[in-house]
Amino acid sequence: MDIKKERARILKLYDRERKLKQEGFTLVAGVDEAGRGPLAGPVVAAAVILVLDTEILNLKDSKKISEKKREKVYEDIKKKAVAYAYDVIDADYIDNHNILNSTLMAMKNAVEKLPVKPEYILVDALKIPDITIPQEFVIHGDNICACIAAASIIAKVERDRIMRKYDLVYPEYGFIKNKGYGTKEHIDSIRKHGICPIHRRSFSVKGLEI
């Protein structure tokens, strides 16, 4: 890793937070989710407040980093964050309220669980309803905002850990590998074994009703 380039990249991730500080907002929370698309398991949302320009190497969209590195960045975020929190919404709630509403609920809950109240919220591509804190949605926020990238990593790691535990209970579906996403192997397993309690019955894939 070219440390000089990596540090420059990290500093650029704070551009939006830096502008917000000039406007008087110091405690800025980033919010993101993991698990909107899978056929099984929960959706998890996280909220993270970082001190401006905190150096967290490899901080980026959780999908663009290996699982091993993601775990290391996750620990670094926990050590350096002003505050972080996450919320889990299970498959039953998703089936009853749809995935978008479930995601927004998880995001709202994550913000409200923060031990430090944020002054401003940056959300990856969504707007959280019924919340009084000023907020804005940022398209591809996990690529361009440090606090959102941190939230994406917290949410992803926490969800992956949940799915690894479910793999011990339902090993026939390969959750430790697919994390509930609709891979060919996962779909073949559903055809062979049927669904299990953590499958989202309101979801479907071509040629297969859940």
Side-chain angles (χ1 to χ4, degrees):
M1 178 191 295
D2 186 324
I3 293 297
K4 187 175 181 180
K5 286 184 178 180
E6 176 64 3
R7 284 175 171 160
R9 184 188 70 80
I10 296 299
L11 283 175
K12 187 168 179 57
L13 285 179
Y14 286 95
D15 281 355
R16 182 65 189 121
E17 291 97 317
R18 199 171 289 112
K19 289 179 182 178
L20 285 169
K21 186 171 184 179
Q22 292 173 356
E23 296 171 20
F25 299 104
T26 300
L27 297 172
V28 179
V31 182
D32 201 3
E33 54 73 31
R36 285 183 71 181
L39 303 179
V43 62
V44 177
V48 179
I49 301 174
L50 297 173
V51 173
L52 186 65
D53 295 338
T54 298
E55 183 175 284
I56 301 173
L57 300 180
N58 288 311
L59 180 63
K60 61 183 69 175
D61 174 2
S62 64
K63 298 182 291 296
K64 296 184 176 181
I65 186 171
S66 70
E67 188 168 355
K68 185 176 180 180
K69 283 186 178 180
R70 197 161 53 232
E71 288 278 351
K72 291 181 179 179
V73 180
Y74 167 89
E75 295 298 335
D76 205 15
I77 292 167
K78 290 203 303 179
K79 289 176 184 176
K80 297 178 179 178
V82 173
Y84 69 91
Y86 70 93
D87 190 64
V88 180
I89 300 292
D90 65 20
D92 285 341
Y93 190 97
I94 292 169
D95 286 337
N96 289 321
H97 297 86
N98 78 46
I99 187 58
L100 176 58
N101 287 331
S102 299
T103 299
L104 294 172
M105 176 61 74
M107 288 180 163
K108 182 174 183 287
N109 291 346
V111 170
E112 291 178 345
K113 286 181 178 180
L114 284 168
V116 177
K117 185 177 180 180
E119 300 165 340
Y120 201 93
I121 302 171
L122 297 174
V123 190
D124 186 41
L126 293 171
K127 185 174 182 180
I128 305 171
D130 304 319
I131 205 160
T132 58
I133 302 166
Q135 65 173 300
E136 66 179 274
F137 67 86
V138 183
I139 302 300
H140 304 305
D142 48 7
N143 279 311
I144 60 177
C145 290
C147 58
I148 298 179
S152 79
I153 289 172
I154 294 291
K156 175 65 173 167
V157 170
E158 292 294 348
R159 186 180 188 279
D160 283 357
R161 290 179 176 182
I162 291 170
M163 295 309 296
R164 286 198 290 271
K165 290 178 181 177
Y166 277 133
D167 184 74
L168 298 175
V169 182
Y170 310 108
E172 61 269 30
Y173 298 99
F175 292 143
I176 196 168
K177 183 177 179 182
N178 62 52
K179 305 303 190 294
Y181 284 87
T183 63
K184 181 181 182 302
E185 291 78 12
H186 185 188
I187 292 169
D188 287 344
S189 295
I190 294 172
R191 289 195 173 105
K192 181 177 180 180
H193 302 287
I195 61 172
C196 74
I198 70 162
H199 277 102
R200 301 174 183 177
R201 290 161 176 77
S202 56
F203 281 35
S204 64
V205 293
K206 188 176 181 180
L208 178 67
E209 292 298 323
I210 300 294

